[in-house]
Amino acid sequence: MSPRWQHLQACSVIGAAHRRQQKPCQDASLSVELKGRGGSLQLLVVADGHGGSRYRLSHRGSALACQVSQEAVAQWLSGTPLTDLERWRQVLEQELPAAIHQRWLAAIAADWALQPDAEHEAFSPLLYGSTLGLVLLAPQWWGCTGIGDWDLSAIDQQGQATLLSEEREHSGSEATGSLCQTFEQQLWGERTQLHPLESHTDLQALVLSTDGVRKSCATDADYLQLCAALLDVRDRQELEQGLAHITEAGSGDDVSLAIAQRAARPKRRRSGGSTPPPGLWPLLLLVLAAAGVGLGAWRMVRQETPLQAQARQLCANPEQIPSNLNQRRAQFNALLEQPQLASQLQQPTSRDPLGALIAASQSGPIPGCAALNAELSRQWERARATAVPAKGKMPAAAAPAAAPTKP
């Protein structure tokens, strides 16, 4: 790996809305090291399929966009020395965008030929529509290009984040540039940059993201805080869990991030207050950045009890809450007859988190969504009305009918 870049990671998480609708994740991302003349090149890529019936194969379009980007960059790397800065500037501004677009069109055409609908429907690139953003990281320079509404931020050695690249508005609309459109060099050129590292001595990290991340933040300042916090998140599972919270509390859109840090990162200074415990403050910022959501309303998975995690999962699929609780009617009845059984359920909460949640709700509302507390209240009222005699034992825990799954 290049000594100038380390801790590369890329992550895509299905949006809360798509998960509830049982639709595939439209985002794709990758981070990869490519070997070439004169050294190694790191590559970050994110792609966001448009979704919707008009673009019903855009989840394939975004995945193929990442694939062909890697192939195209690898081809140029095999014949272009990394030390030739001006040649790479030309590649980024002109040749690479055209090569990626042509490869993508060929890849989606080949994919379409394998689709059942190909027998009776004409092929259209619209079906695979996707945005694309990529960052190239060489030992002496970094560059970016792409099309659509992805965002790129830089974090300096003081931990301050700055937005480096964003899509220009299309007449104030939600329209965005796309691979499925006729190739326009200008749209790619607007997103193309190349910078020698010697002129960016304060640069500490780059964060590339699809638009779902920024849309999930209340303000751009929150988004930049989130980008800066990500430097302390090294565990992939931790990153996925944080992004899942962001989409659940924010836009509901699929979200993708790709991150790279400069080597030998010095300890960054925080302004104001004491420094939170290692690994804790970035998780809190992940929560804070979610649109309209305060710190008191959400906790990250690392800090959650099994009961809190169960409440969060139920609230992610509110339409399934009644069927999940209906299967525990015997527990409601038994808890009414023998209140001391609540302590048994809540001792090792990880063994039956839904049972612990039910027991905790007997004394009043629990932290969670309104739909969950309303259904718990209804179940308690029904249990009191029926007053089933206790049998002296707590019914065995039953698995929810359609337990919400983590993204």
Side-chain angles (χ1 to χ4, degrees), residues 51 124 161 191 222 401:
S124 170
R191 307 304 308 275
D222 286 340

Side-chain angles (χ1 to χ4, degrees), residues 28-42:
S29 59
L30 68 81
S31 63
V32 65
E33 179 181 8
L34 303 173
K35 302 289 187 179
R37 295 178 61 184
S40 298
L41 179 76
Q42 314 295 326

Side-chain angles (χ1 to χ4, degrees), residues 157-222:
Q157 293 183 4
Q158 287 69 49
Q160 300 298 312
T162 304
L163 191 62
L164 292 181
S165 182
E166 62 180 324
E167 185 180 41
R168 297 180 182 177
E169 291 188 1
H170 292 257
S171 303
S173 71
E174 285 291 322
T176 182
S178 174
L179 289 168
C180 68
Q181 299 169 333
T182 302
F183 180 74
E184 293 186 42
Q185 189 76 50
Q186 179 182 353
L187 293 180
W188 291 75
E190 292 171 355
R191 307 304 308 275
T192 300
Q193 301 180 33
L194 190 147
H195 301 280
L197 286 177
E198 61 185 18
S199 64
H200 278 206
T201 56
D202 200 37
L203 176 65
Q204 185 52 56
L206 293 169
V207 178
L208 178 66
S209 65
T210 54
D211 71 316
V213 179
R214 190 174 172 190
K215 285 181 178 178
S216 291
C217 298
T219 66
D220 282 351
D222 286 340

Side-chain angles (χ1 to χ4, degrees), residues 56-57 111-121 128:
R56 66 179 186 272
L57 294 174
D111 188 82
W112 174 251
L114 302 176
Q115 300 295 325
D117 292 341
E119 297 182 1
H120 53 80
E121 183 180 348
Y128 291 80

Side-chain angles (χ1 to χ4, degrees), residues 14-23 247-248 251-254 316:
I14 188 171
H18 284 164
R19 187 173 65 251
R20 287 193 292 269
Q21 297 164 7
Q22 297 184 331
K23 293 183 178 180
T247 182
E248 286 175 5
S251 67
D253 196 7
D254 302 329

Side-chain angles (χ1 to χ4, degrees), residues 199-382:
S199 64
H200 278 206
T201 56
D202 200 37
L203 176 65
Q204 185 52 56
L206 293 169
V207 178
L208 178 66
S209 65
T210 54
D211 71 316
V213 179
R214 190 174 172 190
K215 285 181 178 178
S216 291
C217 298
T219 66
D220 282 351
D222 286 340
Y223 169 71
L224 293 175
Q225 269 194 309
L226 169 63
C227 291
L230 289 168
L231 270 64
D232 292 324
V233 180
R234 302 288 178 81
D235 180 74
R236 181 179 176 83
Q237 183 179 6
E238 183 179 311
L239 180 60
E240 290 178 351
Q241 291 168 344
L243 288 177
H245 275 272
I246 289 296
T247 182
E248 286 175 5
S251 67
D253 196 7
D254 302 329
V255 288
S256 292
L257 286 169
I259 309 164
Q261 298 185 39
R262 296 278 296 277
R265 179 165 65 99
K267 185 176 181 180
R268 290 176 288 125
R269 298 186 295 272
R270 312 292 185 190
S271 59
S274 59
T275 301
L280 174 60
W281 89 275
L283 299 181
L284 295 179
L285 280 178
L286 284 172
V287 181
L288 178 63
V293 179
L295 285 174
W298 291 86
R299 292 183 183 274
M300 296 305 295
V301 171
R302 173 184 280 185
Q303 301 165 286
E304 286 180 328
T305 65
L307 186 151
Q308 292 167 336
Q310 180 69 68
R312 174 176 55 81
Q313 292 178 9
L314 287 168
C315 289
N317 296 272
E319 71 281 357
Q320 297 177 0
I321 292 175
S323 61
N324 288 338
L325 295 183
N326 278 336
Q327 292 197 27
R328 299 301 184 94
R329 291 177 62 181
Q331 283 187 333
F332 284 93
N333 293 330
L335 284 164
L336 280 178
E337 296 296 326
Q338 300 184 65
Q340 70 275 15
L341 295 177
S343 61
Q344 297 178 19
L345 273 173
Q346 295 184 78
Q347 282 294 322
T349 55
S350 61
R351 294 182 182 178
D352 182 12
L354 183 53
L357 183 149
I358 292 170
S361 71
Q362 190 172 13
S363 59
I366 63 169
C369 59
L372 176 57
N373 277 297
E375 182 59 26
L376 284 166
S377 178
R378 190 183 73 83
Q379 292 284 349
W380 282 118
E381 291 176 1
R382 185 167 64 176

